[in-house]
């Protein structure tokens, strides 16, 4: 007996015109999300909240890829994927606030290296999963599962504020304009500096006056 397939093998019959239209939608939606909606979303959800939301969008849009039955539903998933693409810059920003200034280069280098490795291994893994299953969209469901795991991990990562940020309260502020915060080692006990007064019309020195402390 032939085993029943859990999910039907759907052919969307996407041709060159459909691909061109999808690339157009992808570009326009990317400009809108990255250029117009990113800053308001950060203000609304915060960086951490938007990071979790972007990973959740990755779960949803890949799941939509896998279960799409029509071209319009597939295009909707493409638009949703643009919110997923905000995860890496937000992750870089959130991570940079958790390390000291001397570790910023090492942190960003590790993030970009990990991103490059993922971009190389990801398509190979997706192809391997696709060859194991008869359903052509199952590789996207597999990717949705990875994003779901990433969403949980990001949600439970504790935030550690950077300790090397120096606030204005850590610096002594003098309220007396005539009395500096730090005394100069070259100043004597009775005077701070010599002031040389000049006649503005002739440019000649009038007197030399010592300024008391």
């Amino acid at each position: 007996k032939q085993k029943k397939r859990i999910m039907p093998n759907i052919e969307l019959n996407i041709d060159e015109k459909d691909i061109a239209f999808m690339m157009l939608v992808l570009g326009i939606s990317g400009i809108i999300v990255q250029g117009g909606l990113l800053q308001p979303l950060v203000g609304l959800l915060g960086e951490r909240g938007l990071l979790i939301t972007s990973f959740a969008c990755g779960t949803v849009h890949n799941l939509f890829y896998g279960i799409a039955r029509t071209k319009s539903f597939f295009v909707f998933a493409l638009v949703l994927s643009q919110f997923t693409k905000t995860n890496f810059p937000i992750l870089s920003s959130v991570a940079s606030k958790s390390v000291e200034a001397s570790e910023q280069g090492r942190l960003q280098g590790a993030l970009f290296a990990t991103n490059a490795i993922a971009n190389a291994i990801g398509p190979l893994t997706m192809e391997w999963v696709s060859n194991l299953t008869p359903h052509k969209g199952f590789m996207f469901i597999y990717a949705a599962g990875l994003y779901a795991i990433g969403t949980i991990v990001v949600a439970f990562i504790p935030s550690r504020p950077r300790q090397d940020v120096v606030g204005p309260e850590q610096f002594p502020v003098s309220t007396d304009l005539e009395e500096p915060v730090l005394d100069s080692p070259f100043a004597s006990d009775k005077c701070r500096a010599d002031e040389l007064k000049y006649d503005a019309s002739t440019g000649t020195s009038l007197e030399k006056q010592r300024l008391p402390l």
Side-chain angles (χ1 to χ4, degrees), residues 6 8 14 23 67 72 78 86 94 120 134 146 178 212:
I6 299 176
I14 296 176
M23 292 299 102
I67 65 176
S72 58
L78 278 175
T86 62
V94 172
L146 295 180
E178 296 180 359

Side-chain angles (χ1 to χ4, degrees), residues 7 31 34 38 50 52 79 92 98 148 163 169 171:
M7 293 174 292
I31 293 173
Q34 299 284 343
L38 184 58
L50 185 55
I52 298 173
V79 174
S92 299
S98 301
Q163 301 297 328
E169 67 278 358
F171 290 100

Side-chain angles (χ1 to χ4, degrees), residues 2-205:
Q2 187 178 3
K3 294 182 179 180
K4 294 183 179 180
R5 292 179 178 176
I6 299 176
M7 293 174 292
N9 193 352
I10 302 296
E11 292 285 348
L12 297 180
N13 297 321
I14 296 176
D15 55 17
E16 290 83 0
K17 292 183 179 180
D18 296 325
I19 294 176
F21 175 73
M22 289 179 183
M23 292 299 102
L24 178 63
V25 172
L26 199 65
I28 294 176
S29 59
I31 293 173
I32 294 175
V33 172
Q34 299 284 343
L37 297 180
L38 184 58
Q39 193 64 32
L41 287 175
V42 171
L44 179 64
L45 302 174
E47 288 185 338
R48 186 179 179 84
L50 185 55
L51 180 62
I52 298 173
T53 303
S54 65
F55 272 84
C57 285
T59 304
V60 175
H61 96 257
N62 277 286
L63 183 62
F64 284 177
Y65 283 160
I67 65 176
R69 300 292 184 267
T70 61
K71 296 178 183 179
S72 58
F73 195 74
F74 196 86
V75 171
F76 173 73
L78 278 175
V79 174
L80 192 61
S81 71
Q82 294 305 305
F83 291 93
T84 306
K85 291 183 179 180
T86 62
N87 56 14
F88 185 73
I90 298 174
L91 180 62
S92 299
S93 177
V94 172
S96 67
K97 296 178 180 178
S98 301
V99 299
E100 297 178 356
S102 59
E103 298 177 352
Q104 292 294 328
R106 184 180 303 176
L107 170 68
Q108 297 300 328
L111 288 176
F112 276 93
T114 305
N115 186 49
I117 294 174
N119 288 334
I121 297 179
L124 298 177
T125 307
M126 297 276 283
E127 183 181 6
W128 176 73
V129 172
S130 178
N131 293 332
L132 291 178
T133 58
H135 186 264
K136 293 185 178 180
F138 185 77
M139 62 178 180
F140 295 112
I141 298 177
Y142 162 77
L146 295 180
Y147 267 105
I149 296 174
T151 304
I152 297 174
V153 172
V154 169
F156 285 94
I157 291 179
S159 59
R160 181 174 65 89
R162 196 171 58 202
Q163 301 297 328
D164 65 330
V165 179
V166 179
E169 67 278 358
Q170 299 185 19
F171 290 100
V173 179
S174 175
T175 57
D176 190 354
L177 298 179
E178 296 180 359
E179 187 173 329
V181 176
L182 299 177
D183 291 339
S184 172
F186 302 102
S188 63
D189 295 334
K190 295 183 178 180
C191 65
R192 174 68 60 189
D194 291 334
E195 181 182 286
L196 191 61
K197 293 186 177 180
Y198 294 92
D199 188 345
S201 59
T202 61
T204 58
S205 175

